[in-house]
Amino acid sequence: DIQMTQSPSSLSASVGDRVTITCRASQSISHYLNWYQHKPGKAPKLLIYVASSLQSGVPSRFSGSGSGTEFILTITNLQPEDFATYHCQESYTTRLTFGGGTKVEVK
Amino acid sequence: QVQLVQSGAEVKKPGASVKVSCKASGYTFTSYEIHWVRQAPGQGLEWMGWMNPNSGKTGYAQKFQGGVTMTRNTSISTAYMELTSLRSDDTAMYYCARWDKKLYAMDVWGQGTTVTVSS
């Protein structure tokens, strides 16, 4: 099975910061990597699909990059509503494994 | 608008079963797979399986095979996830999500259903 590892597991940041989150796959998943934002009490929200495509309605301060085994989610100019947990998910296999999540907290 | 609305919170005893519903609206129910994902307290998201509402075909994560059943009622655009022989570690928030095959991603999610397993 493919293992998905996110780093860091948590980070502290301030409004206006640039934040990067890394997701590594245990084997190549081509570009089949999604990013979701999850806030407490809310449903997860799709941000980025197939590594770098921005989901409709998602602000352009969110971007994704990478292929193969290493992927990055970047949030530029962090906004108050961006404090949340971010999950990566591989869609290369039918197991659709998620990473462990990265919690972005207020510094 | 496109949405998935799930049934309310459940409290069950160990060994019991629970059936969570997920009602779709705003799109053609039979055109998109429904997937189920859970999140236990303090844990990450865990994919459980999928169902094709058109054919009824299903696929389950190995961990849940034999313990989960995903079904649907197309006349009311509703998907169901039944989990049997509940244990305390099945306590979690359960989400249904629509799989968009063009995006290779889950693009619409239900609001979640809390299932608590406690004696």
Side-chain angles (χ1 to χ4, degrees):
Chain A
D1 288 6
I2 294 176
Q3 308 302 317
M4 305 300 295
T5 304
Q6 283 182 241
S7 60
S9 56
S10 66
L11 64 89
S12 298
S14 300
V15 172
D17 283 354
R18 180 175 181 269
V19 168
T20 60
I21 299 168
T22 299
C23 180
R24 290 185 174 87
S26 59
Q27 65 187 72
S28 177
I29 57 172
S30 184
H31 58 288
Y32 294 102
L33 190 285
N34 305 314
W35 290 99
Y36 299 89
Q37 177 192 66
H38 195 189
K39 297 179 181 179
K42 301 279 191 177
K45 174 185 176 182
L46 177 65
L47 298 177
I48 302 286
Y49 59 96
V50 294
S52 60
S53 295
L54 193 67
Q55 171 64 340
S56 176
V58 174
S60 59
R61 63 180 180 272
F62 292 93
S63 63
S65 63
S67 66
T69 61
E70 186 159 326
F71 302 85
I72 295 173
L73 174 69
T74 301
I75 312 171
T76 56
N77 188 21
L78 192 72
Q79 294 300 296
E81 61 268 30
D82 300 337
F83 292 100
T85 299
Y86 293 84
H87 301 270
C88 65
Q89 178 203 35
E90 62 88 6
S91 56
Y92 183 75
T93 74
T94 56
R95 291 175 178 81
L96 300 177
T97 306
F98 287 91
T102 296
K103 187 173 184 179
V104 177
E105 299 176 296
V106 178
K107 182 182 283 186
Chain B
Q1 74 279 24
V2 176
Q3 61 178 353
L4 298 172
V5 178
Q6 298 182 222
S7 48
E10 303 266 12
V11 179
K12 296 292 183 180
K13 294 194 182 301
S17 298
V18 68
K19 192 170 185 177
V20 178
S21 68
C22 171
K23 182 172 177 59
S25 61
Y27 73 97
T28 302
F29 177 62
T30 51
S31 294
Y32 296 80
E33 292 176 359
I34 293 289
H35 290 237
W36 291 87
V37 175
R38 76 178 186 182
Q39 184 174 39
Q43 303 299 308
L45 298 175
E46 182 176 32
W47 178 77
M48 299 178 68
W50 62 272
M51 180 204 58
N52 183 317
N54 186 45
S55 64
K57 187 176 179 182
T58 56
Y60 305 135
Q62 189 169 11
K63 173 179 180 177
F64 297 101
Q65 285 182 2
V68 70
T69 304
M70 296 176 188
T71 57
R72 88 290 192 209
N73 183 333
T74 56
S75 67
I76 55 171
S77 299
T78 300
Y80 302 93
M81 186 281 298
E82 183 173 24
L83 202 54
T84 59
S85 301
L86 289 168
R87 306 180 340 171
S88 58
D89 60 1
D90 290 315
T91 294
M93 180 72 83
Y94 289 79
Y95 295 98
C96 62
R98 186 180 84 162
W99 178 261
D100 190 323
K101 59 186 177 185
K102 298 184 298 296
L103 308 183
Y104 284 86
M106 300 170 191
D107 68 333
V108 179
W109 293 65
Q111 84 277 18
T113 297
T114 300
V115 174
T116 303
V117 183
S118 174
S119 55

